[in-house]
Amino acid sequence: MTTLHLVRQSAFATNDFAQCLSVLAHQDAIVFMDDGCYNLKHSLLNSLIERIDNSLALYVIANHAKARAIETLVTINKVSMTEVVELTFNYNKVITWQ
Amino acid sequence: MTTLHLVRQSAFATNDFAQCLSVLAHQDAIVFMDDGCYNLKHSLLNSLIERIDNSLALYVIANHAKARAIETLVTINKVSMTEVVELTFNYNKVITWQ
Amino acid sequence: MKTLAVVVTTPPYSHLTITALNYVEAALQAEVEVIGVFFYQDGVMHANQNISIASDEYQAIQHWQRLHQNYQLPLHICITAAEKRGIVCDALDNEKVNQAFTVSGLGELVELTTKASRLVQF
Amino acid sequence: MKTLAVVVTTPPYSHLTITALNYVEAALQAEVEVIGVFFYQDGVMHANQNISIASDEYQAIQHWQRLHQNYQLPLHICITAAEKRGIVCDALDNEKVNQAFTVSGLGELVELTTKASRLVQF
Amino acid sequence: MTMIDTQVCSNVEDGNGLAIINSKAPFSSAYGKDALDIALIFGSFEQKVSLFFQGDGVYQLIDNQDGSLLSIKDYLKTFAAFEFYDIEDIYVCHQSLANRELDESFHIEGVNVLQSIEFSEALNQHAHILRF
Amino acid sequence: MTMIDTQVCSNVEDGNGLAIINSKAPFSSAYGKDALDIALIFGSFEQKVSLFFQGDGVYQLIDNQDGSLLSIKDYLKTFAAFEFYDIEDIYVCHQSLANRELDESFHIEGVNVLQSIEFSEALNQHAHILRF
């Protein structure tokens, strides 16, 4: 049982991303989209990258980050919306953090 | 030049109260209302009480706290809405943090 | 002279609006001169005639109407915000706008802000 | 079989809605069976016929209509949420509801959730 | 493998029913009520629905609240009807309670207080998740 | 005390003009645009208006953004018109920039980066404050 987490809010503004992290399981994946892209620069991401193993995956919607002038780390996979649709079915369920 | 700060959001959920604190001046006052009442239990309040001097005042709308089953500290003045209207004119201006 | 202008940004079905109403009513009762309430963002939804809130819920729109009638409280809605939210502000077909509300532009907010000794946002 | 149900809670004038639309369109183009979009909370504002968005802004309502027409995508609005927001759902006077949308109860959401292999909320 | 076994496997793989995560405080938005309406309709259609309370959502469960002081029709009272609707799986995040200095005094019976890992695991058993 | 002195005193006591605090990121809500519309109308009525950017609001000023990638009509471009509207007092909170690891590269000229105390003092000079 795996979960795809769609993170749409900035952790600099709200507590939602922190709540996401508290239920994150080993084989889950996170997609940063909308203002969730700002989390690429948040210190919570460091703790996440420390927790990362081969099974946890991080994605960001490429044009959502680019529109916001956010440089993306190499360890984060840039995806299109079509790939987000694919990911939806690669995981057992989806939680949207908005 | 003094400011009355109306704080309507929970600092457990959003960053607004922290932003309020960063512009708080010595002779200002804070009124906790709506979900702002939850901040009476937030650690940011401790730092505020430490910063408190004879000029900084803290208020909470009594029925807003009571409706939420929040016990209020003695150092916080419980007020009615009529008193909030009075406070509006005791300070030079109002900022609403919502 | 204590003069007050109020900006309301929350819709009639938000509980936060009750706080705004209680504040304005307390000001009127304390004989503060409330020179106007300007409804902006989702606040303009108060002027939507078709809104139907369950009868056992708080009737924010009726309470604004009551304050308008009892105290001649001016209630302004921002036309741009209203049209985005489906409130037709056509002068020939204004049955969709609650008659307690005046359709205004943002210029009205400039007017209120300039005249009021205090501006309070909800 | 990949079947998808989508819940939309943001209004047509929210930029977040563009993301929901892009997601649903990407799913349809990938031949995922999208069994329905359920509009809840402020999402029901999409069915308000009177909404007028500036012509140079994103026309979310038109895009939902286009997906409805091109892919027979079912669009449901929650009646309780709609009436709170001034969208009259009277069968005799339904000119205020955009015809691409079906007025439904929350039972429809139960139906969609039970049938879909994935439920995604926006 | 029998038909029943297949179904069990399928349930284990895909989870079962709907989980609703409540993340908002009760009295300044309609999120809690909107989530409740969904829970009750799932209950009345005899579909499995579980409720999770996390973040400021935990305030929805706290005892001795009184929305009537705010002129609000207090939808929290309807939580007492969960049993009638066969809504039995109610989980609250212990860490969220602790952060807010809240006791485990709830206005309904049968609330399960879970540590983050168990909270996450309970959530993980469901096929679909909505969050309000 | 002359009439002019009285007016000066009154201004010092009550502040001058409107300050708008921008606290939201630019592309996922209309808050930034709604605040901008107010600023421009004050400018066109020749009323003093100052803009403050704090919290996620600082993202509204950052260079090299492109809302068109999101199908959004990019209201940030209108910031270039501030000079035309005589909107000259634009302040951004240094701490908010630092927290977000942002450089002081803005898409408009004349942005004043202020430490918290100066930011607070500049805000304090105004008669009225709105926050979006």
Side-chain angles (χ1 to χ4, degrees):
Chain A
M1 286 294 294
T2 57
T3 306
L4 182 70
H5 300 268
L6 306 182
V7 174
R8 305 185 81 187
Q9 292 215 46
S10 158
F12 297 103
T14 75
N15 189 42
D16 299 71
F17 182 45
Q19 287 175 40
C20 167
L21 294 185
S22 87
V23 301
L24 193 68
H26 283 300
Q27 302 195 312
D28 289 356
I30 295 178
V31 179
F32 295 105
M33 57 204 295
D34 302 306
D35 284 355
C37 297
Y38 295 125
N39 297 330
L40 295 179
K41 297 281 183 173
H42 196 280
S43 57
L44 283 172
L45 198 73
N46 303 334
S47 70
L48 195 63
I49 289 171
E50 285 167 21
R51 277 173 62 187
I52 219 165
D53 54 32
N54 294 330
S55 53
L56 179 67
L58 300 180
Y59 303 90
V60 62
I61 298 185
N63 66 339
H64 287 199
K66 193 176 178 196
R68 290 170 175 80
I70 299 168
E71 284 170 39
T72 50
L73 303 167
V74 239
T75 45
I76 315 281
N77 306 294
K78 295 187 200 182
V79 289
S80 68
M81 198 60 94
T82 304
E83 289 166 294
V84 177
V85 170
E86 273 174 41
L87 287 171
T88 304
F89 293 92
N90 293 346
Y91 293 82
N92 297 99
K93 61 190 173 301
V94 179
I95 308 181
T96 306
W97 303 86
Q98 66 185 5
Chain B
M1 286 294 294
T2 58
T3 307
L4 183 69
H5 299 268
L6 305 182
V7 174
R8 305 185 81 188
Q9 292 215 46
S10 159
F12 297 104
T14 74
N15 188 43
D16 299 72
F17 182 45
Q19 287 176 39
C20 168
L21 294 183
S22 87
V23 301
L24 194 68
H26 282 299
Q27 302 196 312
D28 289 356
I30 295 178
V31 179
F32 296 104
M33 56 204 296
D34 302 306
D35 285 353
C37 297
Y38 295 125
N39 298 331
L40 295 178
K41 297 281 183 176
H42 196 280
S43 56
L44 284 172
L45 199 74
N46 303 335
S47 71
L48 195 64
I49 288 171
E50 284 165 21
R51 279 174 61 186
I52 218 164
D53 54 33
N54 294 330
S55 53
L56 178 68
L58 300 181
Y59 302 90
V60 63
I61 297 185
N63 65 340
H64 286 200
K66 193 176 178 196
R68 290 170 175 78
I70 298 168
E71 284 171 39
T72 51
L73 302 168
V74 240
T75 45
I76 315 281
N77 305 296
K78 297 187 200 181
V79 288
S80 67
M81 199 59 92
T82 303
E83 289 167 294
V84 177
V85 171
E86 274 174 42
L87 288 170
T88 304
F89 292 93
N90 294 345
Y91 293 83
N92 296 99
K93 61 189 173 299
V94 180
I95 309 180
T96 306
W97 303 88
Q98 65 186 6
Chain C
M1 184 67 192
K2 293 178 178 178
T3 54
L4 178 69
V6 175
V7 174
V8 172
T9 63
T10 51
Y13 38 85
S14 163
H15 297 150
L16 292 174
T17 299
I18 304 177
T19 302
L21 260 157
N22 289 343
Y23 177 86
V24 171
E25 185 154 19
L28 292 165
Q29 286 170 350
E31 298 186 359
V32 169
E33 192 190 340
V34 186
I35 61 172
V37 180
F38 190 85
F39 293 86
Y40 195 49
Q41 296 182 315
D42 282 347
V44 299
M45 294 290 282
H46 284 93
N48 187 322
Q49 280 284 41
N50 295 321
I51 283 184
S52 160
I53 305 281
S55 60
D56 54 353
E57 301 271 1
Y58 188 79
Q59 301 294 321
I61 294 172
Q62 289 177 19
H63 284 287
W64 286 119
Q65 279 182 288
R66 178 174 59 77
L67 297 185
H68 172 70
Q69 283 156 12
N70 295 358
Y71 298 92
Q72 291 75 52
L73 175 67
L75 305 174
H76 300 275
I77 61 164
C78 171
I79 184 166
T80 320
E83 291 185 337
K84 266 171 75 168
R85 288 164 179 83
I87 302 161
V88 178
C89 300
D90 188 332
L92 298 173
D93 176 28
N94 62 1
E95 64 185 29
K96 279 129 193 164
V97 178
N98 188 311
Q99 293 305 301
F101 294 80
T102 307
V103 177
S104 304
L106 278 171
E108 187 63 43
L109 179 62
V110 180
E111 190 90 5
L112 291 171
T113 304
T114 313
K115 285 183 181 162
S117 54
R118 294 294 179 278
L119 175 70
V120 180
Q121 178 183 18
F122 286 98
Chain D
M1 184 64 191
K2 293 178 178 179
T3 56
L4 178 69
V6 175
V7 174
V8 173
T9 64
T10 49
Y13 38 87
S14 163
H15 296 150
L16 292 174
T17 299
I18 304 176
T19 301
L21 259 157
N22 289 344
Y23 178 86
V24 170
E25 185 155 18
L28 291 165
Q29 287 170 348
E31 296 186 359
V32 170
E33 192 191 339
V34 186
I35 61 172
V37 180
F38 190 85
F39 293 86
Y40 196 50
Q41 298 181 315
D42 282 346
V44 300
M45 293 289 281
H46 285 93
N48 188 322
Q49 280 284 42
N50 295 321
I51 283 184
S52 159
I53 305 280
S55 60
D56 53 354
E57 301 271 1
Y58 188 79
Q59 302 294 321
I61 294 172
Q62 289 178 20
H63 284 287
W64 286 118
Q65 279 182 288
R66 179 174 56 79
L67 296 186
H68 172 70
Q69 282 156 12
N70 294 359
Y71 296 93
Q72 290 77 50
L73 175 67
L75 305 174
H76 301 275
I77 62 164
C78 171
I79 183 165
T80 319
E83 291 185 337
K84 266 172 75 168
R85 289 165 179 83
I87 302 160
V88 179
C89 301
D90 189 332
L92 297 175
D93 177 28
N94 62 2
E95 64 185 29
K96 280 130 194 163
V97 178
N98 188 310
Q99 294 305 301
F101 294 80
T102 308
V103 177
S104 303
L106 279 171
E108 186 64 41
L109 178 61
V110 180
E111 190 90 3
L112 291 172
T113 304
T114 314
K115 284 183 183 163
S117 55
R118 293 294 178 276
L119 175 70
V120 179
Q121 179 183 17
F122 285 97
Chain E
M1 196 190 262
T2 68
M3 185 66 188
I4 289 166
D5 281 335
T6 314
Q7 281 197 312
V8 169
C9 280
S10 161
N11 281 347
V12 168
E13 182 55 33
D14 286 337
N16 196 351
L18 175 73
I20 299 177
I21 305 176
N22 288 282
S23 69
K24 303 285 191 298
F27 294 140
S28 60
S29 76
Y31 280 87
K33 174 68 159 58
D34 292 339
L36 175 68
D37 286 348
I38 291 178
L40 296 183
I41 203 94
F42 272 74
S44 65
F45 277 66
E46 296 181 5
Q47 296 295 314
K48 177 174 162 58
V49 58
S50 308
L51 298 178
F52 290 77
F53 295 86
Q54 188 191 25
D56 274 8
V58 302
Y59 289 124
Q60 294 185 28
L61 291 173
I62 296 307
D63 206 5
N64 296 318
Q65 298 185 83
D66 184 2
S68 72
L69 291 171
L70 308 172
S71 314
I72 294 173
K73 185 192 165 196
D74 198 343
Y75 74 93
L76 298 178
K77 296 211 170 85
T78 312
F79 283 22
F82 286 157
E83 212 175 338
F84 176 80
Y85 285 90
D86 291 327
I87 300 172
E88 289 163 348
D89 298 315
I90 300 165
Y91 305 99
V92 60
C93 170
H94 175 266
Q95 191 58 52
S96 300
L97 290 171
N99 290 346
R100 289 160 184 78
E101 298 183 15
L102 295 170
D103 298 331
E104 299 178 9
S105 305
F106 308 120
H107 63 86
I108 50 169
E109 303 281 313
V111 176
N112 300 291
V113 182
L114 301 182
Q115 301 294 328
S116 293
I117 292 200
E118 288 87 42
F119 189 84
S120 170
E121 282 169 356
L123 194 57
N124 212 358
Q125 303 310 309
H126 297 78
H128 301 300
I129 300 180
L130 291 173
R131 180 170 179 271
F132 290 96
Chain F
M1 198 188 260
T2 67
M3 185 67 190
I4 289 166
D5 281 333
T6 313
Q7 281 196 313
V8 171
C9 280
S10 161
N11 281 348
V12 169
E13 182 55 34
D14 286 339
N16 196 349
L18 175 73
I20 299 177
I21 306 175
N22 289 283
S23 69
K24 304 285 190 298
F27 295 139
S28 62
S29 76
Y31 279 87
K33 174 68 160 60
D34 292 340
L36 175 67
D37 286 347
I38 291 179
L40 296 184
I41 203 94
F42 271 74
S44 65
F45 277 68
E46 296 181 6
Q47 295 296 312
K48 178 175 159 60
V49 58
S50 308
L51 298 178
F52 291 77
F53 295 85
Q54 187 191 25
D56 275 7
V58 302
Y59 289 125
Q60 294 184 29
L61 292 173
I62 296 308
D63 206 4
N64 295 319
Q65 299 185 83
D66 183 3
S68 71
L69 290 170
L70 308 170
S71 314
I72 293 173
K73 185 194 164 196
D74 199 342
Y75 73 95
L76 298 179
K77 296 209 172 90
T78 312
F79 282 23
F82 286 159
E83 211 175 339
F84 176 79
Y85 285 91
D86 290 327
I87 300 172
E88 290 163 348
D89 299 315
I90 300 167
Y91 305 99
V92 61
C93 170
H94 175 265
Q95 191 59 54
S96 299
L97 291 171
N99 289 346
R100 289 161 184 77
E101 299 183 15
L102 295 170
D103 297 331
E104 299 179 10
S105 305
F106 309 120
H107 62 85
I108 49 170
E109 303 282 313
V111 176
N112 301 290
V113 182
L114 300 182
Q115 301 295 327
S116 294
I117 293 199
E118 288 87 42
F119 189 85
S120 171
E121 283 169 355
L123 194 58
N124 212 359
Q125 303 310 310
H126 296 80
H128 301 301
I129 300 179
L130 292 174
R131 181 171 178 270
F132 290 96

